[in-house]
Amino acid sequence: MIELTDEILAKVIKKRKKASYKGTYGRLLVIGGNRQYGGAAILATTSAVYSGAGLVSVALAKENHSALQARLPEAMTLDFDDLIKLREVAKAADVIVIGPGLGLERLDLLTEVLNLLTENQKLVIDGSALTLFAREHLDLPFPENTVFTPHEMELERLSGLKIGQQTKEEVQGFVNQLGAIVVAKSSETRIFAPNRESFILKIGSPAQATGGMGDTLAGMVGGFLAQFHGETEEVVAAATYLHSLIASVLAQKSYVVLPSRLIEEIPLFMKKYECN
Amino acid sequence: MIELTDEILAKVIKKRKKASYKGTYGRLLVIGGNRQYGGAAILATTSAVYSGAGLVSVALAKENHSALQARLPEAMTLDFDDLIKLREVAKAADVIVIGPGLGLERLDLLTEVLNLLTENQKLVIDGSALTLFAREHLDLPFPENTVFTPHEMELERLSGLKIGQQTKEEVQGFVNQLGAIVVAKSSETRIFAPNRESFILKIGSPAQATGGMGDTLAGMVGGFLAQFHGETEEVVAAATYLHSLIASVLAQKSYVVLPSRLIEEIPLFMKKYECN
Amino acid sequence: MIELTDEILAKVIKKRKKASYKGTYGRLLVIGGNRQYGGAAILATTSAVYSGAGLVSVALAKENHSALQARLPEAMTLDFDDLIKLREVAKAADVIVIGPGLGLERLDLLTEVLNLLTENQKLVIDGSALTLFAREHLDLPFPENTVFTPHEMELERLSGLKIGQQTKEEVQGFVNQLGAIVVAKSSETRIFAPNRESFILKIGSPAQATGGMGDTLAGMVGGFLAQFHGETEEVVAAATYLHSLIASVLAQKSYVVLPSRLIEEIPLFMKKYECN
Amino acid sequence: MIELTDEILAKVIKKRKKASYKGTYGRLLVIGGNRQYGGAAILATTSAVYSGAGLVSVALAKENHSALQARLPEAMTLDFDDLIKLREVAKAADVIVIGPGLGLERLDLLTEVLNLLTENQKLVIDGSALTLFAREHLDLPFPENTVFTPHEMELERLSGLKIGQQTKEEVQGFVNQLGAIVVAKSSETRIFAPNRESFILKIGSPAQATGGMGDTLAGMVGGFLAQFHGETEEVVAAATYLHSLIASVLAQKSYVVLPSRLIEEIPLFMKKYECN
C-alpha cells in the first residue's frame, strides 16, 4: 500500500487557470437529507462548495431547505420528492453524491440515480445509500467513476467481510469484483481501486470521531471529482487525505473537531497545498 | 465539601484513543424545545455536540427543527410528538437529557422516558422536567446514573427545602433519599451524590447569570456522561466546573457571557485540560 | 444641555454582584416583527440579550420564529397573535420594548400593552409604535418610566414640531407635557426627560445610517433599563451613548456599520466601561 | 479602453457626511429568489446591505424568508407573489435589482417592473432576468440608468454576438443601440456605456469562479448606485472593480473565494479606499 503524504495534494490540486468560469469547476448534485438527517446533507453540500465545486445543488426534504439556505446561500435547493426536477438536475450533473442523511426508506432515489447516470458522470455513494445498496443486493450498473465510502460496518454489509477480516488482500479482492473505488474508512483509512495499488492514510485524529464527519468527507470527495481530472483514485485519495490533515491540525487545539469547523478550513488548506 | 479545581478536568477528560469511532463517544438524546422555548433545546444540544458526544439527536417541536439544523447540522432531529421514533432513539441512547425548554405541558414525555430507561442508561433531568418531577411527585424509577440539575428555586420544589435552608447537610440528606446526583446550581454551585462527599465550585462569574446558561450546562453534563466512564459524580463535577471556568475566563472581557459564545470554547478548553 | 462622555457609562454600568442570578437582571419582552419587518424585532431582541438583560422574550409573527431562534437561541419566542400568552408574559416583564417591525396594522397590540402595564414596569416605544401613537392621538396612560425613541420625522409626527423647529426649548416643552423620556435621534441625538436637564451626544458616525440601527438602539435601551436602576434618563443616556460609541469605533475600519456587527461588541464595551 | 485601478474607488466612494440618515443612502429593492434559487437573492441582498445601501428590501418566494432573515436581519422581506405590496415598495425604491435567482417562469415580475419604473429610478438586470429579457425580445422601456450584468453566454443571448465575437467594437455597437450600461462579465470583465469610453478590469482571480459570485456583484452594483451619484458608469465600474479586488486579495489565501466571505469584506475595503 502507498502511504499518503502531502505529495498527493500537490499532484491533484491544480492551480486554477485565469480563463475559467464556474462551469469549469463542475456541476455537482447532493441527494440526501430526509427530515431526521437534514444536517448530513447540509454538511456534505457545504463541504462540496468549500472544496471549490463550481455549481452545487442539493436535493433534500423540503422541510430542510430553510436551514440549508440559511447556512449556505451558495447552493441551489431541490425538493427530493420532485422527481421531474431531480432528474433534470441529475442529468446535467458532472458528479452526484448520494446518501448523506438520505434514509433507508428512499431506495427509489438510489435506483433512480443508478438508472439515470451515464458513463461520463461520476458518483459517490455514502451513508444510507451504502446500506441500501448492500441490503438490496442491487446489481444496477454504475459509472466507472463511482466511489463507495463505507466505514467498517458498512463495508461488512457491502462486501460480506467481517470487520476483523477486512485485510488489504480481502478488500482488494472485493473491490476488483465490485469495479469501483472504495474508501474504507477507519482509524487508518484505505483507498482501493480495482486492480490498482491501494493507498493508506496514517494521519488523522480520534478528534474526528463525531457525527457528520463522514458526510463532510463525501462532500469533499464529490467536490474534488467535480474539478480535478487526474486518475480518479488519486483525486479521491487527495480529498480523503486533506480531510484528515485538516482534522489533525485542528485537533491540536480542539478536543473534538466539529465538521462545520473543518469545512471552513478547506479552501485555506487547498491554497497552501496547491500545485505550483 | 471538596472544592473543585482544574484537577477534576485532568482526571475526567481522557485523551482519546487512536482506534476509536463516533460510537465510542456515546449516543445522546436531548428531549425539550417546545414552541416557546426552542432555544433552550438548541443550546443544550449544541453544548453536547461541542463537548464531544459522538452521535447526538434532539427531539423537539417540529417548528424548531429548521433553526436547530441551521445552527447545528451535526445533530439529528426528531419531532417530539412522534412517540414511535422517539422511543426507538431513546432506547438506543447511552444518555438522555430531558427538560431544556420542554414545557410544563409535556409530563407525558417525562413519564415515557422514565418508564423506558434501563439501568445501563444515564439520565439528566433539567429545566421544565425538574418542575414536572417535583409537581407531580413522580415516584417512577430512574437509572442509578441520574443527574438532577436544579437551581435554588427548583431545588426547593424538588426537596421541600426553602432556599435559606439548603445547607450542605440538609441537601445531602435529601440526595441520599433521592438516590441520584444533584447539581445544586447557585452562585456557588454544589454537586451532591448519595452517601458521598460533595463538591463545591468557588469559581464562576455573575456574567453567567443569563437565559440559556442552565440549558448549556445540562448539555455539557450529558456530553461528558456520554464519553467519560469514571465515577459519575466526578464526570458531572468536571462538566460543571468546566462550564464555570470558561464563563469566568470569558467574563474577563465580556460584561455578560452568552451561552452560544461559551459553547464555542468547550472543545478548546477540553483540549487544554485533557489528561496527559 | 449636558454633553455625554464616557463618564455616563461608568456611572450606569454597575459591576455585577457575585450573588446574583438571571432574574436579577430583569425580564424583558420585545413586541414587534410582523412578516415584512421580522429583522427589526430580531435585532432589537438580540441587542437586549447582548446588553445583559437576564431573561428575554420576543412576541413576533410566527413566520419569523425560525429565523429568530436560528440567530438567538438565548431568547424565548411568542406568537404575537396569541394574546393570552402575550398578556401573561407582558405582565411578568420588567421592561417592554414595543415597536421594532411591529407594522402600522397592529394598533391592537400597542393599546393592549398600554392598558396592561402598571407603574412599576418600564416601557420603550419605538418604530411603528411611535407612528401609531402619533397617528391615533392615543391618550392612554403609560408608566412613568416610559421612553420614546423617535427619529426626526417621528418626533414631528409625535410632537407636531417640524424638523426645523425641533430646538432644545421646543422639544423640552413637548417632553414636559408628554411626561416621558424622549430620545430624539438625529446626527446629534438628544435625550430629554420632563423638567430635567437634557443630554446631547456629539459622538456617532454617519456609518450608523443604515437600516436596523434604530431597532438595535431600542433593544439596548430596554436591556439597560432591565438591569440598571439609577435615574432613568441616565440609564437611557448610557445605552444611547454606548450605541454611538461602538458605532464610531467600528466606523474607523468599516464604511458602514452593520447593526448585527455592532451588537456583538456590546458586552465587550460594557466590560471596558463598567464602574470599578 | 480604460484599465480600471484603485483610482476609481477613491473617485466614487465618497466620505459620508455627518448630517445624514439612512434615507440619504438610498432605498433598494432586490427581486429574485424562487424556491430553487433562494440563495442567489440572499447573496445579492446581503451584498447590497454590506455595500451601504440605506434601506434594503427583498421580494422573494415566501419559503425563503426564514433563511433570509436568519442571515440578514437588516433587510425587509416581501413575498414576490404579493404584487400589491411589491408595487408599493418598487415605486418607493431608488434602485431595483431584478434577477438573482428569479427563475425563468417569472416573466411577469420583469414586465411589471419595467412598466412601473420611472426615469429617476435605477435598475440592475441580472441572472434569470437577463435570459428572460433576451428570450422574450422585450422592447419595454427601461430607465436611462439601467445596468445589464451578463456573463458571456448571457451576452450572446442578449446581443446575438457569439462568445468569440464579443470584441470591444462589437459589444460597444450593441450597447449604443441598447441604450444601457452593460457589465460584460468574463475573466477580464468590461464595462460599456452608450457612446462612452469603456472600462476593462485586469485584476480578478479564477478563485471567483463559483456559484453566487454574479449575484453578489449585482447586489454591490445596486448598493453603489443607491448611494453614489457620480457618472453612472463610473459608479458601476467602482463596484465591479471592488468586487474583483476583494476576491483577488482573499484568493491569496483561499483556493476558492466564497461569496458570503467576500461580502463580509465589502465595508472594510470601502473604508480603506474611500475618498479623502
Side-chain angles (χ1 to χ4, degrees):
Chain A
M1 302 189 99
I2 302 168
E3 188 182 328
L4 288 168
T5 67
D6 292 358
E7 281 173 36
I8 192 72
L9 301 179
K11 190 163 181 187
V12 167
I13 304 173
K14 305 289 183 202
K15 207 177 180 66
R16 288 188 164 196
K17 292 196 180 123
K18 174 79 178 159
S20 61
Y21 67 108
K22 60 191 175 186
T24 312
Y25 304 110
R27 290 172 182 273
L28 183 145
L29 170 64
V30 174
I31 303 173
N34 70 4
R35 292 200 54 175
Q36 186 172 356
Y37 306 125
I42 292 174
L43 288 169
T45 311
T46 311
S47 174
V49 168
Y50 278 68
S51 299
L55 281 160
V56 178
S57 292
V58 52
L60 76 176
K62 70 174 187 300
E63 289 84 357
N64 302 327
H65 285 202
S66 189
L68 185 284
Q69 291 181 332
R71 290 192 73 87
L72 188 73
E74 286 84 358
M76 294 164 280
T77 46
L78 309 174
D79 182 350
F80 72 0
D81 287 318
D82 178 353
L83 281 188
I84 292 168
K85 198 81 186 166
L86 181 60
R87 277 184 206 123
E88 178 194 320
V89 176
K91 280 178 187 165
D94 298 301
V95 181
I96 289 182
V97 177
I98 188 164
L102 180 65
L104 296 177
E105 67 284 3
R106 297 310 301 263
L107 178 63
D108 64 319
L109 290 179
L110 178 58
T111 54
E112 181 76 37
V113 162
L114 290 172
N115 282 319
L116 186 109
L117 283 184
T118 58
E119 266 311 309
N120 53 359
Q121 293 179 293
K122 294 168 186 172
L123 178 63
V124 180
I125 299 184
D126 180 62
S128 324
L130 288 167
T131 301
L132 283 169
F133 195 93
R135 194 177 73 183
E136 305 290 331
H137 301 288
L138 288 180
D139 55 2
L140 294 166
F142 45 77
E144 192 192 337
N145 288 311
T146 291
V147 183
F148 290 78
T149 55
H151 55 55
E152 289 168 300
M153 180 57 70
E154 288 163 342
L155 183 55
E156 178 176 326
R157 287 182 207 133
L158 212 53
S159 66
L161 298 166
K162 298 277 175 207
I163 292 183
Q165 302 170 334
Q166 296 174 359
T167 61
K168 177 190 149 187
E169 290 72 20
E170 292 286 350
V171 178
Q172 184 68 56
F174 164 71
V175 168
N176 292 348
Q177 197 181 345
L178 179 70
I181 289 170
V182 170
V183 180
K185 297 185 291 192
S186 72
S187 59
E188 290 200 344
T189 291
R190 295 165 298 169
I191 294 129
F192 296 89
N195 306 307
R196 297 281 204 138
E197 183 101 20
S198 56
F199 296 105
I200 187 165
L201 198 57
K202 300 267 188 181
I203 63 168
S205 160
Q208 282 171 260
T210 196
M213 267 299 174
D215 310 306
T216 301
L217 176 59
M220 287 182 73
V221 169
F224 272 52
L225 287 172
Q227 301 165 76
F228 303 125
H229 306 288
E231 295 294 324
T232 305
E233 72 268 23
E234 290 186 350
V235 174
V236 172
T240 308
Y241 180 81
L242 186 64
H243 177 264
S244 279
L245 177 64
I246 298 173
S248 61
V249 171
L250 293 180
Q252 291 167 11
K253 297 198 172 168
S254 193
Y255 187 78
V256 61
V257 174
L258 276 302
S260 46
R261 181 71 191 80
L262 187 154
I263 289 170
E264 291 171 24
E265 297 292 329
I266 298 173
L268 310 181
F269 273 75
M270 286 178 75
K271 185 66 189 176
K272 273 190 223 161
Y273 290 95
E274 74 175 352
C275 173
N276 275 309
Chain B
M1 302 190 99
I2 302 167
E3 188 181 330
L4 288 168
T5 67
D6 293 358
E7 280 172 37
I8 192 73
L9 301 178
K11 190 164 180 188
V12 166
I13 304 174
K14 305 289 183 202
K15 205 177 181 68
R16 288 189 163 195
K17 293 198 179 121
K18 174 80 177 158
S20 61
Y21 68 106
K22 60 191 175 187
T24 311
Y25 304 111
R27 290 173 181 273
L28 184 146
L29 170 63
V30 174
I31 303 173
N34 71 3
R35 293 200 52 176
Q36 186 172 358
Y37 306 124
I42 292 174
L43 289 169
T45 309
T46 311
S47 174
V49 168
Y50 279 67
S51 298
L55 281 159
V56 179
S57 291
V58 53
L60 75 177
K62 69 174 189 298
E63 290 83 357
N64 302 327
H65 285 201
S66 188
L68 184 284
Q69 292 182 332
R71 290 191 74 85
L72 188 73
E74 286 84 358
M76 294 164 279
T77 46
L78 309 174
D79 181 349
F80 72 0
D81 287 318
D82 178 352
L83 280 189
I84 292 169
K85 198 83 187 165
L86 181 59
R87 276 183 207 125
E88 178 194 320
V89 176
K91 281 178 187 165
D94 298 300
V95 182
I96 290 182
V97 177
I98 188 163
L102 181 65
L104 296 178
E105 66 285 2
R106 296 310 301 263
L107 178 63
D108 64 320
L109 290 179
L110 178 58
T111 55
E112 182 76 36
V113 162
L114 290 172
N115 281 319
L116 185 109
L117 284 184
T118 59
E119 265 311 309
N120 53 358
Q121 292 179 294
K122 295 168 185 172
L123 178 62
V124 180
I125 299 183
D126 181 61
S128 324
L130 288 166
T131 300
L132 282 169
F133 195 93
R135 193 176 75 183
E136 305 289 330
H137 301 288
L138 288 180
D139 55 2
L140 294 166
F142 44 76
E144 193 192 336
N145 288 311
T146 292
V147 183
F148 290 78
T149 56
H151 54 56
E152 289 168 302
M153 180 57 72
E154 290 162 341
L155 182 55
E156 178 176 327
R157 285 182 207 134
L158 213 52
S159 66
L161 298 167
K162 298 275 175 208
I163 292 182
Q165 303 170 334
Q166 298 174 356
T167 61
K168 176 191 150 188
E169 290 71 22
E170 292 285 350
V171 178
Q172 185 68 55
F174 164 71
V175 167
N176 292 348
Q177 197 181 345
L178 179 69
I181 290 170
V182 170
V183 180
K185 298 185 290 192
S186 73
S187 58
E188 289 200 345
T189 291
R190 295 165 298 169
I191 294 128
F192 297 88
N195 306 307
R196 298 279 204 141
E197 183 101 18
S198 55
F199 296 106
I200 188 165
L201 200 56
K202 300 268 188 181
I203 62 169
S205 160
Q208 280 170 262
T210 195
M213 268 299 174
D215 310 306
T216 301
L217 176 59
M220 287 182 73
V221 169
F224 271 53
L225 288 173
Q227 301 166 76
F228 303 125
H229 306 290
E231 295 294 324
T232 305
E233 71 268 24
E234 291 188 350
V235 174
V236 172
T240 309
Y241 180 81
L242 187 63
H243 178 263
S244 279
L245 177 64
I246 298 174
S248 61
V249 170
L250 294 179
Q252 291 167 10
K253 297 199 171 169
S254 193
Y255 187 77
V256 61
V257 174
L258 276 301
S260 46
R261 180 72 191 80
L262 187 155
I263 288 170
E264 292 172 23
E265 297 292 328
I266 298 173
L268 310 182
F269 273 75
M270 286 178 77
K271 185 66 189 175
K272 273 189 223 163
Y273 290 95
E274 73 176 352
C275 172
N276 276 310
Chain C
M1 302 190 101
I2 302 167
E3 188 181 329
L4 288 168
T5 67
D6 293 357
E7 281 173 37
I8 192 72
L9 301 179
K11 190 164 181 188
V12 166
I13 305 175
K14 304 291 184 202
K15 205 177 182 68
R16 288 188 164 196
K17 293 199 178 119
K18 173 80 177 160
S20 61
Y21 67 106
K22 60 192 175 186
T24 312
Y25 304 110
R27 290 173 182 274
L28 183 145
L29 171 63
V30 174
I31 303 173
N34 71 3
R35 292 201 52 176
Q36 187 173 358
Y37 305 126
I42 292 175
L43 288 169
T45 310
T46 311
S47 174
V49 169
Y50 279 68
S51 298
L55 281 160
V56 178
S57 292
V58 53
L60 75 176
K62 71 175 186 299
E63 289 84 357
N64 302 327
H65 285 202
S66 188
L68 185 285
Q69 292 182 332
R71 291 191 72 87
L72 188 71
E74 286 85 357
M76 293 164 280
T77 45
L78 309 174
D79 181 351
F80 72 1
D81 287 318
D82 177 353
L83 279 189
I84 291 169
K85 198 80 186 166
L86 181 60
R87 276 184 207 125
E88 178 194 321
V89 176
K91 280 178 187 166
D94 298 300
V95 181
I96 289 181
V97 177
I98 188 165
L102 180 66
L104 296 177
E105 65 285 2
R106 296 311 300 263
L107 178 63
D108 64 320
L109 290 179
L110 178 58
T111 55
E112 181 76 35
V113 162
L114 289 172
N115 282 319
L116 185 108
L117 284 184
T118 59
E119 266 310 309
N120 53 359
Q121 292 178 295
K122 296 169 184 172
L123 178 62
V124 180
I125 299 183
D126 181 62
S128 324
L130 287 166
T131 300
L132 282 170
F133 194 94
R135 193 176 75 183
E136 305 289 331
H137 301 289
L138 287 180
D139 54 2
L140 293 166
F142 45 76
E144 193 193 336
N145 289 310
T146 292
V147 183
F148 290 78
T149 55
H151 54 56
E152 288 168 301
M153 179 56 71
E154 289 163 340
L155 183 55
E156 178 176 327
R157 285 182 207 133
L158 213 53
S159 66
L161 297 165
K162 299 275 176 207
I163 291 181
Q165 303 169 335
Q166 297 173 357
T167 62
K168 177 191 148 186
E169 291 71 21
E170 292 286 350
V171 178
Q172 184 67 56
F174 164 71
V175 167
N176 293 348
Q177 197 181 345
L178 179 69
I181 291 169
V182 171
V183 180
K185 297 184 292 191
S186 73
S187 58
E188 290 199 345
T189 291
R190 296 165 297 169
I191 293 129
F192 297 88
N195 306 306
R196 297 280 205 138
E197 183 101 18
S198 55
F199 296 106
I200 187 164
L201 198 57
K202 299 267 187 182
I203 62 168
S205 160
Q208 281 171 261
T210 195
M213 268 299 175
D215 310 305
T216 300
L217 176 59
M220 287 182 73
V221 169
F224 271 52
L225 288 173
Q227 301 165 77
F228 304 126
H229 305 290
E231 295 293 324
T232 305
E233 71 268 24
E234 291 187 350
V235 173
V236 172
T240 310
Y241 181 80
L242 186 63
H243 178 264
S244 278
L245 177 63
I246 298 173
S248 61
V249 171
L250 293 180
Q252 291 167 12
K253 297 199 171 168
S254 192
Y255 187 77
V256 60
V257 174
L258 277 300
S260 46
R261 180 72 192 82
L262 186 154
I263 288 170
E264 291 172 24
E265 298 292 328
I266 299 172
L268 310 181
F269 273 76
M270 286 179 77
K271 185 67 188 176
K272 272 190 223 162
Y273 291 95
E274 75 175 350
C275 172
N276 276 309
Chain D
M1 302 189 100
I2 302 167
E3 188 181 328
L4 288 168
T5 67
D6 293 356
E7 280 172 37
I8 192 73
L9 300 179
K11 190 164 181 188
V12 167
I13 304 174
K14 304 290 184 203
K15 207 177 181 66
R16 287 188 164 196
K17 291 194 181 126
K18 174 80 179 159
S20 60
Y21 67 106
K22 59 192 175 186
T24 311
Y25 304 110
R27 290 174 181 272
L28 183 145
L29 170 64
V30 174
I31 303 174
N34 71 2
R35 291 200 54 176
Q36 186 173 358
Y37 305 124
I42 292 175
L43 288 168
T45 309
T46 311
S47 174
V49 168
Y50 278 68
S51 299
L55 281 160
V56 179
S57 291
V58 52
L60 75 177
K62 71 173 185 299
E63 289 83 358
N64 302 326
H65 285 202
S66 188
L68 184 284
Q69 291 181 334
R71 290 191 72 88
L72 188 72
E74 286 84 359
M76 292 163 281
T77 46
L78 309 174
D79 181 351
F80 72 1
D81 287 318
D82 178 353
L83 280 188
I84 292 168
K85 198 81 187 164
L86 181 59
R87 277 184 206 122
E88 178 194 321
V89 176
K91 280 178 186 165
D94 299 300
V95 181
I96 289 181
V97 177
I98 189 165
L102 181 65
L104 297 177
E105 66 284 3
R106 297 310 300 262
L107 178 63
D108 64 320
L109 290 179
L110 179 57
T111 55
E112 182 76 36
V113 162
L114 290 172
N115 281 320
L116 185 109
L117 284 184
T118 59
E119 265 312 310
N120 53 358
Q121 293 178 295
K122 296 168 185 172
L123 178 62
V124 180
I125 299 184
D126 181 62
S128 324
L130 288 166
T131 301
L132 283 169
F133 195 93
R135 193 177 74 181
E136 305 289 331
H137 301 288
L138 288 180
D139 55 2
L140 294 166
F142 45 77
E144 192 192 338
N145 288 311
T146 291
V147 183
F148 290 77
T149 56
H151 55 54
E152 289 168 300
M153 180 56 71
E154 289 163 341
L155 183 55
E156 178 176 327
R157 285 182 207 134
L158 213 53
S159 66
L161 298 165
K162 298 276 176 208
I163 292 181
Q165 303 170 335
Q166 296 173 359
T167 62
K168 177 192 148 186
E169 290 72 20
E170 293 285 350
V171 178
Q172 185 67 57
F174 164 71
V175 168
N176 292 348
Q177 195 179 346
L178 179 69
I181 290 170
V182 170
V183 179
K185 297 184 292 192
S186 73
S187 58
E188 290 199 345
T189 291
R190 296 165 297 170
I191 294 128
F192 297 88
N195 307 307
R196 297 282 204 137
E197 182 101 19
S198 55
F199 296 106
I200 187 165
L201 198 57
K202 300 267 188 182
I203 63 167
S205 160
Q208 282 170 260
T210 196
M213 268 299 175
D215 310 306
T216 301
L217 175 59
M220 287 182 74
V221 169
F224 271 52
L225 288 172
Q227 301 165 76
F228 303 125
H229 306 289
E231 296 294 324
T232 305
E233 71 268 24
E234 290 187 351
V235 174
V236 172
T240 309
Y241 180 82
L242 186 63
H243 178 263
S244 279
L245 177 63
I246 297 174
S248 60
V249 171
L250 293 180
Q252 291 167 11
K253 298 199 172 169
S254 193
Y255 186 77
V256 60
V257 174
L258 277 301
S260 46
R261 181 72 191 81
L262 186 154
I263 289 170
E264 291 172 24
E265 298 291 329
I266 298 173
L268 310 182
F269 273 75
M270 287 178 76
K271 185 66 188 175
K272 273 190 224 163
Y273 290 95
E274 74 176 349
C275 172
N276 277 308

